[in-house]
Amino acid sequence: MKQKREVKVGSVVIGGAAAISVQSMTNTKTDDVKATLNQINDLYQAGADLVRVSVPDEKSLSALWEIVKNSPLPVIADTHYSLDFAIKCVEAGAKKVRVNPGNTKNTGRLDDLVKTCLERGAAIRIGVNSGSLGDEYKDLPKHEALAKCAYDYEKKFYDAGFLDTVLSVKSSDVLTTVRANRMLWEICQSPLHIGLTEAGTYENGVIKSTAALSALLLDGIGNTVRVSLTTPNLTDEIRVARKLLAFLGLRNDVVDVVACPTCARTEIDVAALAEQIERATFGIKKSIKIAVMGCAVNGIGECGDADLGVCGGKQKSLIISRGNILETVQNSDLLPVLMRRVKELIKE
Amino acid sequence: MKQKREVKVGSVVIGGAAAISVQSMTNTKTDDVKATLNQINDLYQAGADLVRVSVPDEKSLSALWEIVKNSPLPVIADTHYSLDFAIKCVEAGAKKVRVNPGNTKNTGRLDDLVKTCLERGAAIRIGVNSGSLGDEYKDLPKHEALAKCAYDYEKKFYDAGFLDTVLSVKSSDVLTTVRANRMLWEICQSPLHIGLTEAGTYENGVIKSTAALSALLLDGIGNTVRVSLTTPNLTDEIRVARKLLAFLGLRNDVVDVVACPTCARTEIDVAALAEQIERATFGIKKSIKIAVMGCAVNGIGECGDADLGVCGGKQKSLIISRGNILETVQNSDLLPVLMRRVKELIKE
């Protein structure tokens, strides 16, 4: 695994050996300061490390000052078209500003942006999207165009004496995203923000984002992640991202509920019980493994490495911890007994 | 990419250059023939290629004869503990029988099982689970134990003159599953059935299964897949598996609805519209890409490679096809207009 340069975004380090951070983007009207700060607080509570806010106009820019001042998370400003705007966002207190090389034309002001970022200690994300690539890249294969564009822009900032860049290359296609990031990782020095763009509705988005990010993260590629989902509840993005990192062994602050897929041998309502336990334990930021098994065939074995397990029986079920049977309980008492034991585990 | 031996399961080929097949497992009581066949029909309608049925006792075995006769899909019998039972399942007409080396002791009857399978043209899945590994593998790292156990059992069948084996090594852990399959793929000759076991509730299960399967499939590993989910609706497994394969470019019979994650620029209810379109188009087994974008900033560009796209505006939105603006419609008319255009696309 190649380590990338460390870039500081407020109190969060991206790159080097730093833990992979999780971020999302508000979808309120940014000039509605109250609504935007409420959403930022929700993301913070859900476990986000960073938050991005779109700044499309002067009204949003005025609001940004107030948002930055009251946000519990470092704020990244998302800008397009104009580096003037990016400069003003940094002046407003954004700890990182996203610029899109594909649609930002007045590159003459790049030196001014660099100067302002250096003065204020702000970082820059060079965010390339397959939907807004410059004409000079149009003839390359899509993944190569994305990687080359990010690399060329990284060099512009490097030549201007600026090293605090984070790169991203996003497409709505899994294969293009994986290939572009693999290629960029080989040639860039900056840390990578990885994610799919326009991933889609909840189910499509979870599948696409997980498919692309998992392949990259398992290869050691990526320093900060965003799972983009089009859902009514923005915190879905944070929950899914945190779970993915935990399941890949890259985070240890998530409760993992495993459950058998049920079959003809199943004696209890595994799906309902597992869902109830998952919902009751999601807020707990500890690494605890809980297994819900419908029968004893695979159950006792599969519970072997779980901190807490249940193997369903006809009227009574076994409660197991790391291979040891603790007690036999009536099926109707399973949920309260399990939750009592979870609480005991947390106290330990 | 290394090709594996071709194994026939009824009309479905696993291995070689065959398309990656999708399977699931019924969770009815197998002796309830009607309920089991209903579930098999649901899975068939949802796009499953194969179905597995647990056969834990004599009652289920009797039912199996009837199930096999009426199933629209090749039936795989799932057995444990006894090769006698596996033999009887093949006699009942199962096209493949799953045996678990970890808990099957009377290997003396392996020659009889081979003989019956050869006579009936049935295949064997050697299904190793991390929860039921034999003592001789307990000291190895988990992924190595899984791979070695499957490999050793493959050799037993090979030495007995039987080549129609499919192997699987499953764990509830993403990293163990990925490592075990990567190792096994290097050393085995049989095609691989890939999947996570006890993946968990819907969300955990989708994330874990996608994370593991995506990493493997992107490396060319795997010939048939199961996404195990603990949900009330078994067809979720088939839908998620088919989507994953489509998003990785391994299937071209799924409608792909992409949508922007929405931000301060969004002018329409992207999540609701995308969900509605996704629900209305899931049954269509064609490769059509539909993009729902909240604004024109990335929208028009991102719609560039979509068969049908919408870019939201304040009161009216643009309908786009492969980069060309087709018409401008009132936002209240978006869904009917899009669905009319989808129907036109299907006719083409």
Side-chain angles (χ1 to χ4, degrees), chain A residues 135-141:
Chain A
D135 288 338
E136 63 270 44
Y137 302 101
K138 293 265 151 121
D139 292 337
L140 294 173

Side-chain angles (χ1 to χ4, degrees), chain A residues 141-261:
Chain A
K142 194 53 82 79
H143 69 283
E144 217 176 306
L146 289 164
K148 181 96 173 49
C149 176
Y151 176 76
D152 288 348
Y153 223 63
E154 180 193 37
K155 192 170 178 312
K156 277 189 191 168
F157 281 98
Y158 185 85
D159 290 345
F162 192 75
L163 300 180
D164 291 332
T165 44
V166 176
L167 312 182
S168 72
V169 284
K170 294 193 182 181
S171 149
S172 63
D173 179 67
V174 176
L175 291 176
T176 305
T177 302
V178 170
R179 287 176 186 148
N181 278 287
R182 281 182 175 165
M183 177 176 274
L184 183 57
W185 188 259
E186 290 301 315
I187 55 178
C188 72
Q189 299 183 11
S190 307
L192 290 197
H193 164 128
I194 58 173
L196 243 88
T197 187
E198 286 90 35
T201 54
Y202 174 80
E203 183 169 273
N204 282 11
V206 171
I207 298 172
K208 282 187 199 177
S209 290
T210 303
L213 298 189
S214 161
L216 293 169
L217 291 167
L218 281 168
D219 286 350
I221 297 173
N223 305 95
T224 181
V225 305
R226 179 179 181 201
V227 170
S228 293
L229 299 175
T230 309
T231 63
N233 192 354
L234 197 58
T235 55
D236 290 347
E237 294 194 356
I238 304 302
R239 192 182 63 251
V240 170
R242 284 169 49 85
K243 282 185 176 180
L244 174 60
L245 291 172
F247 297 158
L248 295 175
L250 297 167
R251 262 196 117 102
N252 59 3
D253 56 357
V254 175
V255 173
D256 183 10
V257 180
V258 306
C260 76

Side-chain angles (χ1 to χ4, degrees), chain A residues 25-30 54 56 78 80-81 100 103 129-132 172 174-175 178 182 197-204 206-208 210-212 214-215 218-219 226 228-232 237 239-240 243-244 247-249 256-266 270-271 274-275 278 289 293 297-298 301-302, chain B residues 25-30 54 56 78 80-81 100 103 129-132 172 174-175 178 197-204 206-208 210-212 214-215 218-219 226 228-232 237 239-240 243-244 247-249 256-267 270-271 274-275 278 289 293 297-298 301-302:
Chain A
M25 186 174 182
T26 56
N27 59 13
T28 49
K29 297 287 174 200
T30 304
S54 172
D78 195 72
H80 289 267
Y81 307 123
N100 180 344
N103 62 21
N129 263 34
S130 62
S132 52
S172 63
V174 176
L175 291 176
V178 170
R182 281 182 175 165
T197 187
E198 286 90 35
T201 54
Y202 174 80
E203 183 169 273
N204 282 11
V206 171
I207 298 172
K208 282 187 199 177
T210 303
S214 161
L218 281 168
D219 286 350
R226 179 179 181 201
S228 293
L229 299 175
T230 309
T231 63
E237 294 194 356
R239 192 182 63 251
V240 170
K243 282 185 176 180
L244 174 60
F247 297 158
L248 295 175
D256 183 10
V257 180
V258 306
C260 76
T262 75
C263 69
R265 290 184 298 266
T266 307
V270 172
E275 277 281 353
E278 203 185 311
K289 186 172 174 183
M293 302 289 142
V297 171
N298 294 313
E302 291 290 342
Chain B
M25 186 174 182
T26 55
N27 59 13
T28 49
K29 297 285 173 202
T30 304
S54 172
D78 195 72
H80 288 267
Y81 307 123
N100 180 345
N103 63 21
N129 264 32
S130 62
S132 52
S172 63
V174 176
L175 292 175
V178 170
T197 186
E198 286 92 33
T201 56
Y202 174 80
E203 184 170 271
N204 283 10
V206 171
I207 297 172
K208 281 187 200 178
T210 303
S214 163
L218 281 168
D219 286 350
R226 177 178 183 203
S228 294
L229 300 175
T230 309
T231 64
E237 293 194 356
R239 192 181 64 252
V240 170
K243 282 184 176 180
L244 174 60
F247 298 157
L248 295 176
D256 183 10
V257 180
V258 305
C260 76
T262 75
C263 70
R265 291 183 297 266
T266 308
E267 301 282 2
V270 172
E275 277 280 355
E278 203 185 310
K289 185 174 174 181
M293 300 289 143
V297 171
N298 294 312
E302 291 289 342

Side-chain angles (χ1 to χ4, degrees), chain B residues 47-311:
Chain B
D49 301 302
L50 296 160
V51 66
R52 182 156 51 115
V53 169
S54 172
V55 187
D57 49 32
E58 290 289 343
K59 274 194 301 181
S60 307
L61 186 61
S62 307
L64 185 64
W65 290 80
E66 192 70 17
I67 291 165
V68 164
K69 215 185 297 168
N70 294 290
S71 169
L73 296 172
V75 173
I76 304 159
D78 195 72
T79 68
H80 288 267
Y81 307 123
S82 155
L83 291 185
D84 291 344
F85 237 84
I87 292 169
K88 287 177 186 165
C89 288
V90 176
E91 287 169 349
K95 296 296 178 197
K96 183 162 99 177
V97 64
R98 180 262 175 108
V99 296
N100 180 345
N103 63 21
T104 303
K105 297 302 166 201
N106 54 346
T107 44
R109 294 214 58 193
L110 192 134
D111 282 341
D112 293 329
L113 174 59
V114 163
K115 190 164 162 277
T116 310
C117 285
L118 286 173
E119 280 168 8
R120 308 283 176 130
I124 291 172
R125 172 170 147 221
I126 299 169
V128 183
N129 264 32
S130 62
S132 52
L133 269 169
D135 288 337
E136 62 270 45
Y137 303 101
K138 292 265 151 120
D139 292 336
L140 294 173
K142 195 52 83 77
H143 68 283
E144 216 177 305
L146 288 164
K148 180 99 176 43
C149 176
Y151 176 77
D152 288 347
Y153 223 64
E154 180 193 37
K155 191 169 180 312
K156 276 189 191 167
F157 281 99
Y158 185 86
D159 290 346
F162 192 74
L163 300 180
D164 292 331
T165 43
V166 176
L167 312 183
S168 71
V169 282
K170 296 193 181 182
S171 149
S172 63
D173 178 67
V174 176
L175 292 175
T176 305
T177 302
V178 170
R179 287 176 186 147
N181 279 286
R182 282 182 175 164
M183 177 176 273
L184 183 56
W185 188 258
E186 289 301 314
I187 55 178
C188 73
Q189 299 184 8
S190 307
L192 291 199
H193 163 127
I194 57 174
L196 242 87
T197 186
E198 286 92 33
T201 56
Y202 174 80
E203 184 170 271
N204 283 10
V206 171
I207 297 172
K208 281 187 200 178
S209 289
T210 303
L213 298 188
S214 163
L216 293 169
L217 291 166
L218 281 168
D219 286 350
I221 297 172
N223 305 94
T224 181
V225 305
R226 177 178 183 203
V227 170
S228 294
L229 300 175
T230 309
T231 64
N233 192 353
L234 199 57
T235 56
D236 290 346
E237 293 194 356
I238 304 302
R239 192 181 64 252
V240 170
R242 284 170 50 84
K243 282 184 176 180
L244 174 60
L245 291 172
F247 298 157
L248 295 176
L250 297 168
R251 264 197 117 102
N252 58 3
D253 57 357
V254 174
V255 174
D256 183 10
V257 180
V258 305
C260 76
T262 75
C263 70
R265 291 183 297 266
T266 308
E267 301 282 2
I268 57 173
D269 189 345
V270 172
L273 185 61
E275 277 280 355
Q276 285 164 331
I277 295 171
E278 203 185 310
R279 229 172 289 133
T281 56
F282 183 70
I284 301 164
K285 290 189 180 148
K286 287 210 169 191
S287 174
I288 297 173
K289 185 174 174 181
I290 303 172
V292 183
M293 300 289 143
C295 75
V297 171
N298 294 312
I300 296 175
E302 291 289 342
C303 282
D305 66 342
D307 299 297
L308 197 57
V310 51
C311 289

